[in-house]
Amino acid sequence: MKIIKSIEYLKRIIRESKRNGLIINFIPTMGALHLGHMKLIQKAKKKNSIRIVSIFINPSQFGPNEDYKNYPRTTHNDLNLLRNENVDIVFLPIENEILKYKTYYKCPNFKIEKILCGKSRPNYFPGVKSIVIKLFDIVQADNSFFGEKDYQQLVVIKKMRDELNFATNIIPIKTVRNKNGLPLSSRNKYLEINEIEIANKINKICKYLIPKVKNKLNTTKILAHAKRELRMNGIDKIDYLTILTDTLEKRKSLKSKSRIFIAANVGSTRLIDNFRI
Ligand code: PAF
C-alpha cells in the first residue's frame, strides 16, 4: 500500500496507472474509519482497478461551533485497516498544500443545499463541495464511492458532478447499521452508553413510520405524532423529520421514490439518517 502526501506525485501515479489500462476507484473519507467505510472500500474492489482512499479532515465543512477540533483522528488505526484491506493508495493531503488557495472554486450553489442539513449547517455543503471538487480534479477517478447515510451529500455531489461535467461515476453504497439499526458513523464515538440506547430508537420509530406513510401524500399528522414519540423516547432536539423524493424534492406522487429524512441531537451529538419508503 502506497501512502502518498504529494498531489503531484499522486497525479503521476494515477497517470501511469491509467496508461496501464487500470480503472481508478476513489473513496474520499475524513478518516476515523469504521465498518461503514470498509463496506465502501470493499465495494470498490474490482478487476483491473486500483483503489485510492483519501483521508482528510476538511476544516471548511465544519461550522464555528462544530466539532472540527474534537473530530476523531485515528490515522494509525485507519492505515492498519486499509493495509489489511489491500488498498492500493492512501492519499493523505497536506493541509497547506490542498488548501493553499483559500478562494473557493466558483462552484454553483444548489437549492438542495439550503434544505435539511444545509439549513442548520450553512457551511457544510459549500465546504464539502470545495474539497470534493479538488479531490475529483486531482484523482480523475472512473468511479467515486459515497455512502447513502449522508444522502443529501450524495445528491449534492452528484449534482456538482453533472453541472461541472466531471467524468467520474458516483456509486452510492447502502448504509451499514449496527444490530439495533443505528447507522455507523465516526460521530457515534461521542455517544455515551445510555445515549446509544436512545439513538437506537430513531431507527425503530422511523422503520415503524414507513408502512404508515407509504400510501399517503399528506403525512403532516403522522410525522407530528412520530416527533412526539421521538421526544418521549429522549430524542428531544429534532432538527427535521420529513419526507422527500430521492432527488430531494417535494413528494407529489406516491409513485416517486422517496425517503424519510431525519436529523436529531442525542445529547450533544447530531445524528442523521434516512430510510427508503
Ligand atoms: O463524507 C465525508 O466523509 C466527507 O464529507 C467527504 C466527502 C470526505 C468530504 O470531506
Side-chain angles (χ1 to χ4, degrees), residues 132-140 144 146 157 166 168 170:
V132 173
I133 201 173
K134 285 206 165 202
L135 292 168
F136 278 1
D137 230 7
I138 294 165
V139 178
Q140 300 285 326
S144 302
F146 291 89
I157 289 173
F166 280 106
T168 190
I170 307 286

Side-chain angles (χ1 to χ4, degrees), residues 26-39:
F26 177 47
I27 309 98
T29 80
M30 297 208 297
L33 301 181
H34 49 67
L35 286 175
H37 293 110
M38 296 321 285
K39 174 87 173 286

Side-chain angles (χ1 to χ4, degrees), residues 28-30 58 61 124 128 131-132 146 150 153:
T29 80
M30 297 208 297
N58 167 35
Q61 69 191 69
Y124 183 68
V128 166
I131 194 72
V132 173
F146 291 89
D150 297 308
Q153 168 176 280

Side-chain angles (χ1 to χ4, degrees), residues 213-274:
V213 296
K214 212 178 180 91
N215 296 314
K216 274 212 169 73
L217 277 182
N218 186 349
T219 53
T220 320
K221 275 193 186 148
I222 302 172
L223 292 178
H225 181 76
K227 277 186 185 170
R228 277 200 298 277
E229 211 159 312
L230 286 161
R231 284 194 196 102
M232 265 160 29
N233 280 281
I235 302 136
D236 43 7
K237 258 176 74 188
I238 303 163
D239 184 7
Y240 57 77
L241 172 67
T242 189
I243 295 171
L244 293 174
T245 67
D246 278 11
T247 46
L248 304 184
E249 275 141 340
K250 225 173 150 194
R251 188 184 180 213
K252 290 191 189 126
S253 144
L254 290 173
K255 281 196 194 118
S256 45
K257 287 182 181 167
S258 304
R259 285 170 188 262
I260 299 168
F261 292 90
I262 183 164
N265 267 59
V266 172
S268 55
T269 308
R270 181 183 166 87
L271 301 171
I272 61 168
D273 206 347
N274 67 89

